[in-house]
Amino acid sequence: MNVHAPILQHASVSEALNKWLSHDRPMLIDGRWEMAASGRTFDVHDPATGARIAAVAEGDAADVDRAVKAARRAFETGPWPRMTPSDRGRLIHRIGDLILEHADTLATIEALDNGKPKTVARAADVTLSADMFHYMSGWATKIEGRTIPISALAAPGMELVSMTRKEAIGVVGQIIPWNFPLLMAAWKVAPALATGCTVVLKVAEETPLSALWLGQLLLDAGLPDGVVNIVTGFGETAGAALAGHPGVDKVAFTGSTEVGKLIVQAASKDLKKVSLELGGKSPNIVLGDADLDLTIAGAANSIFFNHGQCCNAGARLYVHDSIYDRVVEGVAQVAGQIRLGHGLDEGTEMGPLVSSVQYDRVRGFLQAGRDEGAEFMFRQDQAPEGGYFVAPTVLTNTNPQMKVVREEIFGPVLVATPFKELDDALIAEANNSVYGLAAGVWSRDTGRALSVANRLRAGTVWINCYHVFDAALPFGGYKQSGWGREMGEAVLANYLETKAVTMRIG
Ligand code: ADP
């Protein structure tokens, strides 16, 4: 194992974390920390500076195979399936507690690895991750089938009892993105554990570090060997190997719609079950009677939170023309006041995009907007140099055919459009997307807002608020935004099979 000189001088980075980062980080396979069979590693970068902060094992198909076999053993013969639901629940709860105990370190890792402000990582990512384990720990004891009165008679006079059992689906391959690295791991791992599954988690190559820290917490909580395995590596190699591995019963994916389609193809070879949480281009509709202060702050937050790197970002703003100028200028003003900087620096409100690839991609969209005639309201000159910073941007004078209106940008770029009437045409335009993940409605008339919400084809609708997430609330997409739901009771269905048992009793 290589040891590198600690590279981080920042006051927020503890000596222990610096030491941890200075060693090549192995993967968690069968309860042990293992380097890749190939011996290869890859570098992880701080997106605010481009500097290398760590190196992690470059897992590939051989390592995925080891991990799947470990998960299979843990599922078939390990102590995990035999543990009582209450013991399993207690263990899952302990993981949530450990996340909170390590909150500062985890938030620091997210700031370094993903670029988001540490304060945001602490308040949102870490808190919601702990909540997810705490909430799911309660479900471990509440996974129930039903008794079902049936009308079928196998023979006259025969007495039958029928029931359903909910059983763990088995070995689950989970593939997650880089926008909320720890939280996406929590969304996936916690319900899989609550249902009694075993897991191979493939984390995003851009942001592998917080999940590796979490891996140690899983071991510290007492999770038996092989129940959760964590593989670091690239999508085309490790990810593809996991999605197509015959030893995996189910694939749960969060990421782009494009890769989601590849996952479905890979999983279809042996008809694995698949759940997908994919992209979005969410409409945010401001009716003429909306509370302006609330709406301006909310609309800005809906797109600029996490630097626009949210699948549910409120990317398409539709504003009644009576207040359009005031709302759009208000949002642009908020954008102009957002302080960009290093995620570990005090006062930073927005960090860089996660990688040079995303930086180029988002700038490509801005160029496309320019070429197509959109008008810009933003302050590009304020973006710090050296990292992958893109200043928050508001585009006006757009039309429904433009690339910036149709496609998911995944950056802090809002497209704003006025409307005259709250009519069928507006609802149709809001729904005019291949995606259907989320939407927002802003109005003082909550009845009217609810009626709009009912007509929007999206898995989540927020009224007079945005980005409200809770472990108890299902989240997922209509249309090409995905299959299945994350969180809430609904996520359990992703990890359970239903068995109908019929017994002759007379
Ligand atoms: P984003 O667009 O958010 O970067 P991606 O969909 O590209 O998201 O990636 C999300 C996750 O999917 C990452 O863990 C990535 O490594 C993985 N991935 C990318 N390509 C593939 C693939 N062909 N097969 C399986 N996983 C993949």
Side-chain angles (χ1 to χ4, degrees), residues 23 34 56 60 63 78 264 296 368 404 453 485:
H23 290 70
E34 307 256 9
V56 300
D60 60 19
D63 306 294
V264 170
I296 288 167
V404 287
R485 292 292 178 269

Side-chain angles (χ1 to χ4, degrees), residues 175-178 202-205 234-235 239-240 253-256 259 262-263:
I175 301 174
I176 57 171
W178 45 260
K202 208 296 279 178
V203 297
E205 50 269 47
F234 294 97
F253 172 76
T254 296
S256 60
V259 174
L262 296 176
I263 299 284

Side-chain angles (χ1 to χ4, degrees), residues 174-179 202-206 233-244 251 253-260 262-263 266 278 354-355 357-358 361 408 410:
Q174 303 183 318
I175 301 174
I176 57 171
W178 45 260
N179 56 345
K202 208 296 279 178
V203 297
E205 50 269 47
E206 294 85 352
F234 294 97
E236 302 73 25
T237 49
L242 185 57
V251 182
F253 172 76
T254 296
S256 60
T257 294
E258 197 187 348
V259 174
L262 296 176
I263 299 284
L278 306 175
V354 74
S355 66
V357 172
Q358 285 305 113
R361 206 173 153 266
E408 182 174 43
F410 227 67

Side-chain angles (χ1 to χ4, degrees), residues 296-340:
I296 288 167
N301 177 54
S302 80
I303 182 66
F304 300 138
F305 176 67
N306 213 40
H307 328 165
Q309 301 170 130
C310 299
C311 45
N312 57 290
R316 291 183 287 142
L317 184 67
Y318 296 96
V319 189
H320 191 266
D321 62 4
S322 61
I323 53 169
Y324 176 79
D325 288 344
R326 276 184 290 167
V327 170
V328 172
E329 274 158 26
V331 172
Q333 214 168 18
V334 174
Q337 285 161 3
I338 293 174
R339 269 171 295 175
L340 275 76

Side-chain angles (χ1 to χ4, degrees), residues 67-422:
V68 171
K69 287 187 172 131
R72 176 59 61 193
R73 266 196 309 278
F75 185 72
E76 304 290 349
T77 57
W80 186 240
R82 274 166 282 283
M83 212 179 258
T84 65
S86 78
D87 283 347
R88 213 165 54 222
R90 252 194 305 278
L91 199 153
I92 297 166
H93 201 273
R94 209 174 303 141
I95 298 168
D97 291 347
L98 286 172
I99 289 174
L100 290 180
E101 279 173 33
H102 288 247
D104 190 72
T105 304
L106 287 164
T108 304
I109 292 174
E110 293 302 56
L112 276 172
D113 199 1
N114 167 280
K116 66 180 70 195
K118 180 179 169 183
T119 44
V120 173
R122 174 65 189 84
D125 302 60
V126 174
T127 304
L128 290 173
S129 298
D131 278 356
M132 190 65 189
F133 281 97
H134 286 151
Y135 171 82
M136 279 297 156
S137 70
W139 275 114
T141 48
K142 296 167 195 71
I143 293 167
E144 298 164 351
R146 300 163 67 177
T147 55
I148 300 178
I150 58 169
S151 304
L153 289 181
M158 183 182 288
E159 203 177 339
L160 300 167
V161 170
S162 288
M163 67 190 110
T164 52
R165 281 168 53 80
K166 294 286 181 182
E167 297 182 349
I169 211 164
V171 174
V172 183
Q174 303 183 318
I175 301 174
I176 57 171
W178 45 260
N179 56 345
F180 294 88
L182 179 71
L183 183 58
M184 292 300 102
W187 278 17
K188 291 280 183 274
V189 171
L193 293 182
T195 50
C197 293
T198 61
V199 170
V200 177
L201 175 72
K202 208 296 279 178
V203 297
E205 50 269 47
E206 294 85 352
T207 56
L209 298 174
S210 56
L212 294 177
W213 194 277
L214 174 67
Q216 186 58 47
L217 304 186
L218 300 177
L219 297 181
D220 295 348
L223 203 65
D225 292 350
V227 174
V228 174
N229 305 272
I230 303 175
V231 175
T232 48
F234 294 97
E236 302 73 25
T237 49
L242 185 57
H245 197 293
V248 169
D249 297 302
K250 191 244 153 70
V251 182
F253 172 76
T254 296
S256 60
T257 294
E258 197 187 348
V259 174
K261 291 177 183 175
L262 296 176
I263 299 284
V264 170
Q265 277 171 20
S268 71
K269 259 191 320 191
D270 41 14
L271 294 181
K272 289 184 190 39
K273 311 288 190 284
V274 177
S275 54
L276 305 166
E277 200 263 279
L278 306 175
K281 185 77 180 180
S282 299
N284 205 5
I285 301 174
V286 182
L287 306 188
D289 66 350
D291 175 324
L292 281 185
D293 290 344
L294 189 75
T295 302
I296 288 167
N301 177 54
S302 80
I303 182 66
F304 300 138
F305 176 67
N306 213 40
H307 328 165
Q309 301 170 130
C310 299
C311 45
N312 57 290
R316 291 183 287 142
L317 184 67
Y318 296 96
V319 189
H320 191 266
D321 62 4
S322 61
I323 53 169
Y324 176 79
D325 288 344
R326 276 184 290 167
V327 170
V328 172
E329 274 158 26
V331 172
Q333 214 168 18
V334 174
Q337 285 161 3
I338 293 174
R339 269 171 295 175
L340 275 76
H342 195 289
L344 290 180
D345 289 347
E346 221 159 286
T348 292
E349 292 168 327
M350 183 186 277
L353 299 186
V354 74
S355 66
S356 62
V357 172
Q358 285 305 113
Y359 179 75
D360 291 343
R361 206 173 153 266
V362 172
R363 286 168 59 93
F365 272 107
L366 293 177
Q367 189 56 48
R370 210 182 298 274
D371 294 346
E372 287 179 316
E375 280 170 27
F376 281 56
M377 296 174 76
F378 75 126
R379 38 156 215 146
Q380 175 73 355
D381 52 322
Q382 302 252 337
E385 305 219 324
Y388 311 128
F389 290 93
V390 173
T393 305
V394 179
L395 299 181
T396 57
N397 195 30
T398 56
N399 67 59
Q401 284 72 47
M402 287 180 178
K403 190 175 155 74
V404 287
V405 178
R406 298 262 60 83
E407 295 182 24
E408 182 174 43
I409 298 176
F410 227 67
V413 183
L414 179 68
V415 293
T417 312
F419 66 86
K420 283 195 170 29
E421 302 280 348
L422 169 52

